[in-house]
Amino acid sequence: DTKNSHLITFGVNTDSPVERDDARPQKETDALHLQSSIETLQRLRRDQARQGKRQRGRFALQFWTDATVKKQKGDKTLTGGVAVFKFKGKVGLALERRCGMHACSFRAEALTIEDSCKMLLGIVKENPYLLRNRTVLIGTDSQSTVSALKLGPRRQKERMTQSTWEYLNQIADLGVRVHLQFVYSHCGVIMNEMADHFADMTVLDKEAPDLTPLWLTDALSYSRRYIKYARQYSSAYDHRR
């Protein structure tokens, strides 16, 4: 822990003061509420347009992370994560990584956020005055990862989230504020959509190196996928007979 941990903030729900376009209307099963949901989304987007100029200068640097888990033929999967940056109006790909053949979505997202915090720490150390007393945004559509990190550094059980908090504490000690924000996916947040696009491309790049060690949860997730695939194959074989 660090005395500057108050510089690290979290937004797990849509009430956090980021771009208002990150809010998605509550799911409605009744068709009668469909029109009101559409009107709610349109209103939120109008609010975002009005607040755009005010929000634009709030964050000195933005990282938007996303990870994708693609099911392959049989019981195999491909996972990859990326971080897209936005700085002084410029947007680009900050990092990309493979997250293991059998990684679950939580691990893939957590590893990508960990790498983003590590990159941010390197930037702050190389340019101490660039972001001092400014706020950096790290946006993600992984609510579980932000919720886990929000528990604090002393309640982390996984190495990747522990390392993330170590990076965050070092960044805070250098006078930089960090806000980690959850947003809904595919809801009109442009930077999140861009990160999602690059994540899909990273997964399809089969030549990218993948040296991620196997996590216990990955092994359990892979076992469940294998059992499900084996049952489906057995059922299809019996049907053909």
Side-chain angles (χ1 to χ4, degrees), residues 123-241:
I123 294 173
V124 174
K125 285 184 175 180
E126 290 181 6
N127 304 276
Y129 298 101
L130 181 64
L131 300 171
R132 181 168 295 179
N133 298 324
R134 303 293 300 277
T135 303
V136 176
L137 170 68
I138 298 178
T140 177
D141 58 11
S142 175
Q143 189 173 23
S144 58
T145 307
V146 178
S147 299
L149 291 170
K150 189 179 179 182
L151 296 175
R154 298 183 180 180
R155 298 182 61 183
Q156 301 304 317
K157 299 180 180 179
E158 311 299 341
R159 181 207 59 80
M160 52 197 174
T161 53
Q162 291 173 354
S163 298
T164 300
W165 258 109
E166 291 175 2
Y167 296 138
L168 290 173
N169 284 331
Q170 293 181 60
I171 294 169
D173 287 339
L174 293 171
V176 179
R177 301 182 183 90
V178 180
H179 180 75
L180 289 93
Q181 176 65 45
F182 158 73
V183 300
Y184 287 111
S185 60
H186 308 299
C187 195
V189 183
I190 297 177
M191 294 298 295
N192 178 257
E193 297 294 340
M194 187 178 299
D196 180 72
H197 172 71
F198 280 114
D200 290 338
M201 294 177 59
T202 300
V203 168
L204 296 177
D205 183 11
K206 297 182 179 181
E207 296 182 359
D210 187 356
L211 302 177
T212 306
L214 186 66
W215 191 36
L216 177 59
T217 307
D218 296 340
L220 296 175
S221 179
Y222 170 74
S223 299
R224 287 193 293 267
R225 287 198 302 269
Y226 182 82
I227 293 173
K228 181 179 179 180
Y229 169 73
R231 288 175 177 174
Q232 292 176 345
Y233 180 83
S234 177
S235 177
Y237 179 77
D238 293 339
H239 180 73
R240 288 196 300 268
R241 292 181 62 185

Side-chain angles (χ1 to χ4, degrees), residues 1-2 17 33 46 55 63 65 71 76 88 98 100 108 116-119 131 149 179 208 221 232:
D1 206 349
T2 175
H33 296 283
R46 287 195 298 268
Q55 295 287 351
F63 282 106
T65 69
K71 190 177 184 301
K76 296 183 179 180
K88 293 184 177 180
R98 297 291 294 276
S116 300
C117 292
K118 182 179 180 179
M119 173 176 286
L131 300 171
L149 291 170
H179 180 75
S221 179
Q232 292 176 345

Side-chain angles (χ1 to χ4, degrees), residues 97-122:
R97 65 161 299 156
R98 297 291 294 276
C99 301
M101 182 183 299
H102 308 302
C104 61
S105 59
F106 172 80
R107 175 164 165 80
E109 295 278 3
L111 286 170
T112 307
I113 293 178
E114 178 191 2
D115 283 358
S116 300
C117 292
K118 182 179 180 179
M119 173 176 286
L120 176 58
L121 177 60

Side-chain angles (χ1 to χ4, degrees), residues 2 10 17 19 30 35 41 67 86 132 148 173 189:
T2 175
F10 298 87
E19 289 83 353
D30 193 342
Q35 184 62 33
L41 182 58
K86 184 176 182 180
R132 181 168 295 179
D173 287 339
V189 183

